[in-house]
């Protein structure tokens, strides 16, 4: 089981000279979600290729347990079609800046219009605490529940019912 140790920041914009290494269109649906645990499925489209994943996350705070694995399109469709919910939709740019790799997410259907976040993952809590964000990053929203993807997804469901 992997550990997920990450920081998340709000963005109002980003530099034109970011190096984008990959772009993915992501549809994300939660099958179960509590304060300390979530189970989600994703449909990812990158360079015309579709892949599907299931991810279980457990814990709270800066370090959480994460298990992710590939699933088939049939299982994804079976799980999501019965729920009658709206997936969280976002474009993810994998970017490099100043020697670090980031996930820059442009959200398309959140209640918070124009939401853009950027995340960085760390190998240790020491790296997490030692990290200094670039000047163009906005507010550090790590751990703020209104910016956790499962909560963003939940808001979409409430807004459309």
């Amino acid at each position: 089981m992997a550990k997920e140790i990450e920081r998340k920041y709000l963005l109002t914009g980003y530099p034109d000279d970011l190096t984008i290494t990959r772009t993915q269109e992501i549809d994300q649906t939660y099958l179960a979600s509590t304060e300390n645990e979530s189970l989600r499925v994703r449909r990812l489209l990158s360079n015309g290729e579709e892949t599907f994943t299931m991810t279980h996350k457990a814990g709270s705070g800066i370090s959480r347990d994460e298990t992710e694995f590939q699933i088939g399109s049939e299982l994804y469709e079976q799980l999501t079609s019965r729920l009658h919910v709206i997936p969280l939709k976002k474009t993810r740019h994998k970017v490099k800046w100043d020697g670090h790799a980031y996930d820059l997410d442009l959200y398309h259907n959140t209640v918070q219009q124009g939401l853009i976040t950027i995340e960085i993952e760390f190998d240790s809590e020491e790296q997490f605490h030692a990290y200094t964000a670039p000047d163009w990053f906005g507010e550090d929203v790590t751990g703020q529940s209104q910016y956790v993807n499962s909560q963003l997804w939940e808001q979409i469901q409430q807004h459309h019912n």
Side-chain angles (χ1 to χ4, degrees):
M1 185 178 304
K3 288 282 186 194
E4 180 187 66
I5 305 168
E6 66 184 13
R7 282 191 184 271
K8 181 184 268 192
Y9 298 86
L10 293 181
L11 293 182
T12 55
Y14 48 91
D16 293 334
D17 58 346
L18 272 182
T19 301
I20 298 175
T21 59
R22 185 176 190 189
T23 296
Q24 298 171 304
E25 297 300 327
I26 300 173
D27 287 2
Q28 187 164 303
T29 299
Y30 286 83
L31 305 177
S33 181
T34 66
E35 191 175 316
N36 295 316
E37 195 168 14
S38 68
L39 181 64
R40 72 162 189 237
V41 290
R42 276 183 171 169
R43 175 188 164 275
L44 301 104
L45 182 62
S46 184
N47 298 323
E49 183 181 328
E50 252 185 349
T51 56
F52 302 88
T53 62
M54 180 177 281
T55 306
H56 176 259
K57 293 185 182 190
S60 60
I62 64 169
S63 179
R64 300 188 302 166
D65 292 328
E66 180 181 74
T67 305
E68 183 169 87
F69 52 92
Q70 296 279 124
I71 61 172
S73 60
E74 300 84 13
L75 179 56
Y76 174 84
E77 290 300 328
Q78 188 177 36
L79 291 169
T80 57
S81 66
R82 292 189 175 132
L83 294 176
H84 306 288
V85 294
I86 299 165
L88 173 64
K89 293 182 174 287
K90 60 186 176 180
T91 300
R92 170 165 287 170
H93 296 299
K94 301 275 189 181
V95 299
K96 296 255 189 237
W97 180 266
D98 209 19
H100 295 287
Y102 298 92
D103 288 342
L104 190 153
D105 289 340
L106 302 139
Y107 294 87
H108 301 300
N109 64 337
T110 54
V111 174
Q112 302 167 50
Q113 294 296 310
L115 180 62
I116 305 172
T117 64
I118 193 162
E119 297 177 355
I120 180 172
E121 287 197 18
F122 302 98
D123 294 327
S124 70
E125 291 188 21
E126 291 76 27
Q127 288 177 349
F128 174 95
H129 291 295
Y131 177 74
T132 303
D135 293 341
W136 54 273
F137 279 27
E139 180 185 354
D140 182 344
V141 294
T142 305
Q144 291 186 30
S145 63
Q146 69 265 36
Y147 298 107
V148 173
N149 281 318
S150 60
Q151 291 301 307
L152 294 171
W153 179 84
E154 196 66 50
Q155 290 169 5
I156 293 167
Q157 308 320 304
Q158 291 168 2
H159 191 258
H160 286 89
N161 284 337

